[in-house]
Amino acid sequence: MYSNSLIELDRAHLVHPVTSYRSHERAGVRVLRSARGATVTDASGHTMIDGFAGLWCVNAGYGHDSIVEAAARQMRELPYATGYFGLGSEPAIRLAAELAERAPGDLNHVYFTLGGSDAVDSTIRFIRYYHHAQGRPQKDQFISVAQGYHGSSTVGAGLTALPAFHAGFGVPFDWQHKIPSHYAYRNPAGTEPAAIIAASVAALRAKVEQLGADRVAAFYVEPIQGSGGVLVPPPGWMKAMRDVCHELDILFVADEVITGFGRTGPLFACSDEDIVPDLMTTAKGLTSGYVPMGAVFLSDRVYETIADGAGASAVGHGYTYSAHPVSAAVGLEVLRLYENGLLENGRKAGERLMAGLRGLGDHPLVGDVRGRGMLAAIELVVDKERKTPLPAASDPARRIFDRAWDNGLIIRAFGNGVLGYAPPLCCTEAEIDAIVERTRMTLDETLEDPDVRAALA
Ligand SMILES: Cc1ncc(COP(=O)(O)O)c(C=O)c1O
């Protein structure tokens, strides 16, 4: 009764992100009721392991009373403080300082946003301003990577390279360009890391040459491409791209919205490769999804150039909720939890997850297993030799998501038959093993589907 009426209200009034509105109306919402640790329970009482940490964001796991207390304390004391007019609040100042201390290199300046999309959007404004401040307004062309995701704002969606975010929206703009992804499993350059890196370097150089280095403002990467299907570049790829940008005087932006805060092991994935970007975006794990918040990190050089360029004038970029004290209080507590055991647990659990998923490599449907830390994917195929995807007509995304759900596991099932994993860092060994086991069960059931069987034959 309760949930039926909610389904009706949802159908009538709530517009969901990135969904077919009509399909959603037909299917109806699945209401989640509660969560604890790495498990969530729906309105019918069905409990599942959340193998995707909400939307790769609840890195700390659910139900931490200390986070709830930190938010409640802050709400009682000072629920809001603007950063305009030279004002501020203690938790936001402290969080900026703690983050700057831990961020790679000289990323010492933090601008807080509400999430990842407006963090990316803010970088575009900062970068434009930076080049204007140096008297180079013509440096206004932006390059990103095919299959990349950089959010859903009007300009950020044009850096995003996923068709659903473009069609019907009039993006990308003519100043937004792409180079091919490193996608190792299906790279025309082959599977050798050196060949993949060389191909990407050549593609970036060629794109810059085509546009003119004096026109290119910035190059955006995700340390691991998340929404494009968890595409992991070979070791050395990020460094090689960063070096090209340095040489050609192009700002290098690392979008760590997914990879930040322990998702791949360290606090920031850039540390895996000793990379210091010029700007870095984060969100999601920053507050572990308990409240909204994102952060843009600016290097000393970028910050100082903007500051000097503006002089006594205001840098006209701001949000009412930038540096929100409640979000910042949550961010501080989440950071404490990460460093008091969660990062360590996530590293161990990540190794177990990768080993477990690699163990599925012998399954007839598994073509590729990839990932790092608690961020992983398996790519399903019906012919391992030819790497033939599952038949699109079998609607793998819907079917496998539903099946995993029934088997007590939430995963991300991409449209092309890629299954994504990003469990909370608090997972126990038993939970990691259950994620792998429930995946195998789901794959075995899918193998029995007549259309999948026919495609295999
Ligand atoms: C790499 C990356 N950048 C930006 C975003 C946008 O973040 P948000 O959904 O918080 O706006 C996402 C979201 O998944 C992301 O994965």
Side-chain angles (χ1 to χ4, degrees), residues 210-252:
Q210 178 202 335
L211 299 167
D214 59 328
R215 294 294 316 274
V216 179
F219 176 61
Y220 283 67
V221 301
E222 296 160 85
I224 291 178
Q225 293 192 292
S227 302
V230 189
L231 309 178
V232 187
W237 185 91
M238 281 263 286
K239 174 93 175 54
M241 305 310 274
R242 207 262 170 274
D243 288 349
V244 173
C245 289
H246 191 72
E247 179 196 323
L248 300 176
D249 190 22
I250 293 164
L251 292 176
F252 182 86

Side-chain angles (χ1 to χ4, degrees), residues 275-299:
I275 302 283
V276 183
D278 296 300
L279 297 95
M280 183 171 84
T281 48
T282 63
K284 297 193 187 271
L286 170 59
T287 49
S288 212
Y290 279 60
V291 288
M293 188 176 231
V296 179
F297 293 70
L298 307 170
S299 70

Side-chain angles (χ1 to χ4, degrees), residues 14-362:
L14 186 61
V15 180
H16 287 251
V18 192
T19 194
S20 152
Y21 295 170
R22 294 296 179 221
S23 304
H24 178 75
E25 288 162 9
R26 269 195 301 280
V29 67
R30 295 178 203 221
V31 179
L32 295 173
R33 192 180 60 201
S34 62
R36 193 105 214 136
T39 59
V40 296
T41 302
D42 74 7
S44 73
H46 180 51
T47 294
M48 295 149 283
I49 298 176
D50 185 358
F52 205 62
L55 196 64
W56 15 46
C57 58
V58 189
N59 294 8
Y62 300 91
H64 285 284
D65 285 336
S66 67
I67 301 177
V68 178
E69 286 312 318
R73 220 175 15 248
Q74 188 59 44
M75 279 196 200
R76 267 186 222 107
E77 200 154 301
L78 180 70
Y80 177 78
T82 181
Y84 283 60
F85 324 133
L87 305 179
S89 72
E90 180 171 346
I93 296 164
R94 288 205 185 286
L95 182 60
E98 298 285 345
L99 292 173
E101 195 182 311
R102 289 158 179 80
D106 66 343
L107 292 172
N108 286 323
H109 311 272
V110 181
Y111 175 78
F112 287 112
T113 62
L114 283 72
S117 293
D118 53 339
V120 169
D121 208 76
S122 297
T123 62
I124 297 169
R125 283 173 64 73
F126 287 136
I127 289 168
R128 281 261 161 91
Y129 201 97
Y130 167 85
H131 290 305
H132 270 264
Q134 293 178 304
R136 306 191 295 180
Q138 76 284 0
K139 244 174 141 41
D140 60 0
Q141 305 290 299
F142 286 67
I143 305 175
S144 54
V145 182
Q147 271 133 303
Y149 185 66
H150 298 289
S152 186
S153 73
T154 300
V155 288
L159 296 177
T160 289
L162 302 174
F165 292 82
H166 295 172
F169 290 108
V171 288
F173 297 109
D174 60 7
W175 47 269
Q176 297 177 314
H177 311 274
K178 311 289 178 299
I179 63 164
S181 170
H182 41 72
Y183 195 0
Y185 184 57
R186 297 181 188 277
N187 196 311
T191 52
E192 275 305 308
I196 292 173
I197 292 171
S200 291
V201 165
L204 181 57
R205 284 189 185 283
K207 183 60 79 184
V208 173
E209 196 172 315
Q210 178 202 335
L211 299 167
D214 59 328
R215 294 294 316 274
V216 179
F219 176 61
Y220 283 67
V221 301
E222 296 160 85
I224 291 178
Q225 293 192 292
S227 302
V230 189
L231 309 178
V232 187
W237 185 91
M238 281 263 286
K239 174 93 175 54
M241 305 310 274
R242 207 262 170 274
D243 288 349
V244 173
C245 289
H246 191 72
E247 179 196 323
L248 300 176
D249 190 22
I250 293 164
L251 292 176
F252 182 86
V253 186
D255 187 346
E256 291 235 28
V257 167
I258 288 177
T259 53
F261 300 99
R263 182 53 56 210
T264 71
L267 206 55
F268 302 108
C270 282
S271 310
D272 279 334
E273 288 205 50
D274 249 346
I275 302 283
V276 183
D278 296 300
L279 297 95
M280 183 171 84
T281 48
T282 63
K284 297 193 187 271
L286 170 59
T287 49
S288 212
Y290 279 60
V291 288
M293 188 176 231
V296 179
F297 293 70
L298 307 170
S299 70
D300 286 341
R301 178 168 61 112
V302 171
Y303 172 80
E304 297 298 342
T305 304
I306 292 173
D308 286 343
S313 307
V315 177
H317 185 61
Y319 304 136
T320 298
Y321 298 124
S322 178
H324 195 285
V326 177
S327 300
V330 166
L332 282 168
E333 177 55 19
V334 165
L335 190 58
R336 197 187 66 77
L337 292 175
Y338 288 147
E339 294 185 337
N340 277 289
L342 274 175
L343 288 184
E344 190 47 37
N345 193 72
R347 271 192 281 269
K348 287 192 197 126
E351 277 169 29
R352 198 176 182 92
L353 175 71
M354 288 311 303
L357 293 178
R358 289 214 171 90
L360 297 175
D362 62 355

